[in-house]
Amino acid sequence: MQPSLLLKPVSKALIAAFAREGVRVGPSTGPDLIVSTYGFWTAQLAFEYATPFIIAPAPKLTRETPAHMHLKWTIERIKGIAKVDDWKAQQLAAITNDVVRESGLSIDMQAVVFDQRLATTRERILKALRDPDFPPVHASVAIGAGLLPEAMSSLDAHLAQMGPERALGPGGHGTIAEVVARDATYLWQRPPRELREFESAFVDWVHMRDNKPFSAEIGLGFCLLQPYVSAGRRQLPNYSVFSPILHYREGSQWRMSGIPSTSYREAEPFTRGQRPLAEVIGAPVTTLQRAAVCPACMDVFAPASANAPHRCPDGGPHARHLVDTLRARYDSGSTTFTASELNKDSRPRPGSQDGVVAVQALEQFLLTHRATLGLRAFNGTWALMRRPTIMLTAGASPASPLEGA
Ligand SMILES: [Zn+2]
């Protein structure tokens, strides 16, 4: 929706609230008053930056900090626009904050930080959102202020980063690569933030200590969905939901460690009335982009289109062949080895330039995917703790979903 149209009902409510206080402002100034609560000087400017405004009531019990409102800034704008004194402006600023909060208007911070289309205006939006009078409460704003490391990255990189991580929660077991390899999985970008099952995707907070960020988290604005059919309910699937989050601890970089997972139970009788996801999406879940695990490099990916196929990163072993090798080792009882020993049996990925795998590249691969492969490192030696179970089938591609298989 056009941002000006999105702001219109909020603007109407605000002008009515001002009128009840005996203050008349014209309809053209409503949007300026609204955006001042976010730190923008005019609505025109906020629109020029393509600020992604959304109307979305947050869940009642959200982990997210309430949006920071720029009270002092709003008071200044009200004094300028409505020509009232300090005392009246303070009163009207509180009313403005309430009207904006109750409307559910907010800014899609995941889009601001991660959407490539906002690359050119991201800095200006984040600069407006930073309140010089208060330390930031949102990780996104702290990133914009240079207090936290940059977190910008592509969706492809985020999916690849997710693969080796364990699913944490009732929605799944094993690593995300194992989950995706097991059954049809779909990528949902911008799931609805008003449904609690998806709130992890929109986490955005920072804890400051001595004027420095101490810890922070930011959701990536997307999730993976995997339909599953419970025993006795063959027709109606429930869904496992996996929403990646980046974590920060003082003095470190952003990392992804453990993927929050949960279940969306539209098939359960006790939640009858829970909206079917097909209705929320407006199309069957199976029409979403299909995610897959690459059998050659083991990255999780979801190509945007047939014209943008997945490309394996350079170097590293052929993953499917390596998994076969590890299974054979497990079955024969030779479960301890060094990377050099294992490399004698390694094959390069299809299409790799020189036809050999560097030991360091193999070592890095084992380290990254140790949870998926069931490996542990002991003093330069690798130990296979269980038989690798991941199914890397050459034919599994997002273009050929396995529904019903
Ligand atoms: Zn690949």
Side-chain angles (χ1 to χ4, degrees):
M1 198 196 283
Q2 284 279 331
S4 53
L5 288 177
L6 198 68
L7 261 52
K8 213 169 185 177
V10 191
S11 177
K12 270 189 175 168
L14 188 61
I15 289 165
F18 272 44
R20 284 195 291 277
E21 297 299 317
V23 177
R24 303 221 160 269
V25 286
S28 62
T29 54
D32 288 340
L33 293 169
I34 294 165
V35 300
S36 75
T37 63
Y38 291 104
F40 292 101
W41 188 247
T42 65
Q44 189 55 39
L45 217 48
F47 297 160
E48 270 171 31
Y49 298 163
T51 310
F53 287 105
I54 43 169
I55 297 258
K60 281 196 181 76
L61 289 167
T62 175
R63 282 189 292 157
E64 215 173 331
T65 328
H68 175 76
M69 303 303 238
H70 294 237
L71 192 61
K72 206 169 142 188
W73 190 254
T74 307
I75 292 169
E76 287 310 308
R77 290 301 279 144
I78 290 171
K79 278 180 6 191
I81 290 169
K83 312 283 180 230
V84 292
D85 63 21
D86 264 329
W87 184 85
K88 192 71 187 170
Q90 280 173 32
Q91 190 196 0
L92 291 172
I95 290 169
T96 307
N97 278 358
D98 286 347
V99 169
V100 173
R101 268 196 217 283
E102 278 162 26
S103 72
L105 184 78
S106 63
I107 295 170
D108 183 348
M109 294 312 295
Q110 274 67 29
V112 173
V113 176
F114 299 116
D115 194 332
Q116 304 292 343
R117 288 168 297 183
L118 291 173
T120 54
T121 56
R122 173 182 293 143
E123 256 179 66
R124 276 172 283 177
I125 298 170
L126 289 172
K127 194 176 174 205
L129 295 174
R130 191 184 178 192
D131 190 336
D133 297 318
F134 289 96
V137 294
H138 298 298
S140 50
V141 176
I143 292 169
L147 296 168
L148 284 171
E150 295 271 326
M152 294 76 175
S153 192
S154 65
L155 177 65
D156 288 351
H158 286 147
L159 284 168
Q161 225 179 329
M162 258 180 111
E165 296 298 329
R166 284 194 174 85
L168 305 176
H173 60 274
T175 62
I176 298 300
E178 287 177 291
V179 166
V180 174
R182 205 177 292 144
D183 228 328
T185 309
Y186 301 89
L187 168 66
W188 196 3
Q189 301 191 61
R190 311 258 167 275
R193 52 186 76 212
E194 57 268 36
L195 295 177
R196 286 196 60 195
E197 287 82 355
F198 303 97
E199 69 177 30
S200 293
F202 305 106
V203 162
D204 182 14
W205 59 259
V206 57
H207 286 318
M208 302 289 287
R209 208 178 263 187
D210 303 325
N211 288 320
K212 280 187 302 195
F214 179 69
S215 58
E217 282 189 337
I218 188 161
L220 299 180
F222 73 87
C223 66
L224 293 180
L225 282 180
Q226 188 172 70
Y228 68 93
V229 179
S230 309
R233 303 186 186 285
R234 292 203 56 79
Q235 296 311 311
L236 293 165
N238 286 316
Y239 296 90
S240 296
V241 182
F242 305 92
S243 313
I245 290 180
L246 296 177
H247 309 268
Y248 171 86
R249 292 294 285 182
E250 191 178 18
S252 66
Q253 291 296 315
W254 288 105
R255 348 186 284 136
M256 212 185 265
S257 55
I259 308 297
S261 73
T262 185
S263 303
Y264 188 85
R265 297 169 186 274
E266 66 179 45
E268 301 298 319
F270 59 85
T271 55
R272 197 161 281 163
Q274 180 90 322
R275 284 179 76 193
L277 286 185
E279 203 181 294
V280 180
I281 297 166
V285 171
T286 51
T287 59
L288 294 172
Q289 253 173 287
R290 174 89 187 266
V293 181
C294 173
C297 71
M298 226 157 85
D299 275 357
V300 171
F301 69 102
S305 70
N307 300 327
H310 161 75
R311 287 195 48 178
C312 297
D314 289 335
H318 188 306
R320 187 155 54 95
H321 182 259
L322 183 77
V323 168
D324 288 343
T325 304
L326 291 174
R327 280 193 196 119
R329 277 187 171 267
Y330 188 85
D331 294 343
S332 68
S334 53
T335 54
T336 344
F337 41 82
T338 64
S340 305
E341 284 163 0
L342 189 65
N343 205 26
K344 295 198 181 82
D345 305 328
S346 288
R347 253 192 237 163
R349 283 171 197 157
S352 78
Q353 295 296 315
D354 45 11
V356 288
V357 182
V359 177
Q360 293 97 315
L362 176 63
E363 192 93 55
Q364 188 54 52
F365 184 88
L366 299 179
L367 193 66
T368 303
H369 295 285
R370 60 191 186 280
T372 302
L373 299 172
L375 285 169
R376 259 194 216 167
F378 297 102
N379 302 324
T381 309
W382 289 97
L384 201 48
M385 312 304 288
R386 60 171 171 83
R387 196 173 194 269
T389 53
I390 187 164
M391 298 305 293
L392 296 172
T393 41
S397 98
S400 60
L402 300 168
E403 279 94 79

